[in-house]
Amino acid sequence: MNLFFQRKITGYAFCILLGLITPIFVQAQHKRIIKVKVNFNEPAQVIESFGASDAWTCQFAGLWPDAEKNKMADLLFSKKLDEAGTPLGIGLNFWRFAIGGGSTEQGKESGIRDEWRRQLSFLSLNGTYNEDAMPGQIWFMDAAKKRGVSNFLGFVNSPHVNFTLNQKAFSSDGLCNLDFKKVDAFSADLVNTIKIIKKKTGIELAYVSPVNEPQWKWNEGKQEGTPYTNEEITRLVKNLSGTLNKTQLKTKIQIVDAGQLNYLTDHQDTAKSRQIAYFFNPNSKGYLGDLNNLDNSISGHSYFTTSPEFKAIQIRKKVKDEVGKQNGLRFWMSEYCVLGDSTLKGEGRDLGMTTALFIAKLIHHDLTYANATSWQWWLAVSTGNYKDGLVYIDKSKTGGKVYDSKLLWAFGNYSRFIPVGSVRLNTQVSDEKDFYLSSYLKNNELITVAVNNSDEPIHLEIAGLAKNQKKIVVYTTSESANLTRSFTTSDAINLSAKSVTTIIGNKER
């Protein structure tokens, strides 16, 4: 050893013994300690899926060169590991396919100014079908299937323009734009679309969602959409159910993609609110629960319900309570991106940890307070200067660069490691200041996701993990890591500041 350093170390040791130097060295050895108790006798919901949608970008991105679009698909769906054991992608297991309303064929006459927000359809304006009309979206569906995705949903923003009152894919007056004189044709078109997708990909949609955010007016021409009252939804769904019953399809109808969560419970707009009770309470005039092809789930979007904190939690607890009143009903959080929040604005692309931590916390809240069994992001692929994408690409129809985001990888801390059929377990956490934790059990494996939104590292003690485990697997997302794999022991679980971490080990027997 260098004599200078030997003397220096000896000198510091002597000073420490004298009590002259202590604070800086002692403090550096200590981390914030958080203790967790996993309650195996308090199971909550069973996790079904984590997903995202192909709107609107995949119609063009699916036409890019193979290397670039396969990179996007790997980031979204791959469950493979690289040589270091780090995931190549986030392993989504659910994919939302946008069933368009035909505004693309209308072009500028559609009234939708941004062509990237116009949508394709197999149904042409002349009433014939072109089975090759949606190649980009079909490519992504095939790519998802090849990478192990098994559950697919088709969602409708607007009925095809052939079936709307104004022959547009958005409302002229903020009222329902479906021409109910043509509701049979609309239902038949959805069935034909499902059959074409199955013919081209071998995939039979597990679900079809015929309405989307029915509470909004959709009268601005920015994208496809139409409002519905609860009564109108009941009429449409009963018609679609009857049409599906005449086929051999196993596709279930999934409702209602509410524009924000409190429309499911007690929003003041009674014609479009209290949707859990309206559609699933047997005593309601709008009851749909007896339809054999209606899925026993209800979906809503987490927009505009993320702050303040106490209100966000209150709203989600009410959703859980109201869902719990109906026999076996499940709740899906089926769409979110950052549109605007008191603490985070939607404008401005963010590939870093700020948005990633915000969303990781939101996923935690939706899973633990609202008991969501499925959590689905909005745009899988985005071109915008906005916080709406998992993967970003250049705004080009022919090719360009592909950009991952910390949000993608933080979402992967949940989607990649919480298998279908995992049971969320209630937990007790000793210190929840800027810290959010949830645990899941599948077979004998305990999967814990910890969101450390604080500026300090944390030492985590989990009562529920088997003691003396020598090889607990840890995946970390932070400014310097993208689901980076490491190993630790049950008594040495340490979390970085500003990180999302997945911890996987055997449960205590």
Side-chain angles (χ1 to χ4, degrees), residues 8-43:
K8 189 174 182 181
I9 291 169
T10 304
Y12 278 140
F14 180 71
C15 289
I16 290 170
L17 288 172
L18 292 178
L20 299 177
I21 302 176
T22 54
I24 191 168
F25 291 100
V26 173
Q27 289 175 8
Q29 295 173 9
H30 288 284
K31 292 183 175 70
R32 177 182 171 194
I33 297 173
I34 294 181
K35 297 182 179 182
V36 177
K37 180 183 178 183
V38 180
N39 300 313
F40 293 100
N41 61 343
E42 295 182 17

Side-chain angles (χ1 to χ4, degrees), residues 84-122:
T86 298
L88 296 178
I90 66 168
L92 297 179
N93 54 29
F94 192 91
W95 190 238
R96 297 175 63 89
F97 181 95
I99 299 174
S103 57
T104 294
E105 188 179 354
Q106 291 181 316
K108 291 182 180 179
E109 295 301 315
S110 68
I112 297 174
R113 296 176 288 280
D114 185 350
E115 65 173 320
W116 284 70
R117 294 194 176 190
R118 300 171 195 156
Q119 293 190 262
L120 294 158
S121 172
F122 294 121

Side-chain angles (χ1 to χ4, degrees), residues 29-36 429-433 435 454 456-462 491 493-495:
Q29 295 173 9
H30 288 284
K31 292 183 175 70
R32 177 182 171 194
I33 297 173
I34 294 181
K35 297 182 179 182
V36 177
V429 181
S430 64
D431 181 356
E432 295 181 305
K433 180 176 171 50
F435 182 78
S454 72
E456 56 186 329
I458 287 172
H459 174 72
L460 195 62
E461 298 178 4
I462 304 177
D491 59 353
I493 301 172
N494 297 309
L495 312 177

Side-chain angles (χ1 to χ4, degrees), residues 51-69:
S53 84
D54 68 359
W56 295 284
T57 313
C58 290
Q59 61 182 318
F60 298 122
L63 306 178
W64 277 28
D66 284 347
E68 294 160 349
K69 63 188 180 184

Side-chain angles (χ1 to χ4, degrees), residues 117-130:
R117 294 194 176 190
R118 300 171 195 156
Q119 293 190 262
L120 294 158
S121 172
F122 294 121
L123 178 62
S124 301
L125 298 178
N126 65 10
T128 63
Y129 279 89
N130 176 7

Side-chain angles (χ1 to χ4, degrees), residues 261-262 305 310-319:
L261 297 185
N262 53 347
T305 59
F310 77 90
K311 186 176 180 181
I313 292 172
Q314 183 184 55
I315 288 171
R316 284 157 179 78
K317 285 182 175 180
K318 187 165 291 186
V319 169

Side-chain angles (χ1 to χ4, degrees), residues 323-466:
V323 167
K325 293 177 183 178
Q326 311 307 328
N327 185 31
L329 187 64
R330 304 165 349 261
F331 164 63
W332 287 8
M333 203 307 293
S334 55
E335 184 182 313
Y336 187 79
C337 71
V338 184
L339 291 182
D341 181 270
S342 62
T343 57
L344 187 66
K345 302 304 179 185
E347 294 81 8
R349 181 185 298 186
D350 174 25
L351 302 180
M353 284 302 294
T354 298
T355 301
L357 288 164
F358 180 88
I359 297 302
K361 170 186 171 181
L362 176 61
I363 297 172
H364 169 273
H365 281 13
D366 287 336
L367 294 177
T368 61
Y369 294 115
N371 272 11
T373 64
S374 180
W375 203 94
Q376 302 156 29
W377 182 255
W378 174 219
L379 298 184
V381 182
S382 173
T383 62
N385 186 25
Y386 211 84
K387 299 176 182 67
D388 59 359
L390 299 176
V391 175
Y392 287 87
I393 61 171
D394 293 336
K395 193 169 186 176
S396 166
K397 297 179 183 179
T398 58
K401 292 183 179 180
V402 178
Y403 311 87
D404 62 346
S405 67
K406 293 295 180 181
L407 166 59
L408 171 86
W409 299 112
F411 186 16
N413 279 97
Y414 293 92
S415 63
R416 179 65 179 78
F417 304 109
I418 303 174
V420 175
S422 299
V423 178
R424 187 180 68 81
L425 302 168
N426 287 324
T427 59
Q428 293 173 267
V429 181
S430 64
D431 181 356
E432 295 181 305
K433 180 176 171 50
D434 291 325
F435 182 78
Y436 313 93
L437 178 142
S438 55
S439 289
Y440 309 82
L441 185 67
K442 182 68 182 289
N443 300 325
N444 193 48
E445 201 166 64
L446 185 65
I447 305 108
T448 296
V449 182
V451 182
N452 180 13
N453 199 25
S454 72
D455 293 317
E456 56 186 329
I458 287 172
H459 174 72
L460 195 62
E461 298 178 4
I462 304 177
L465 272 174

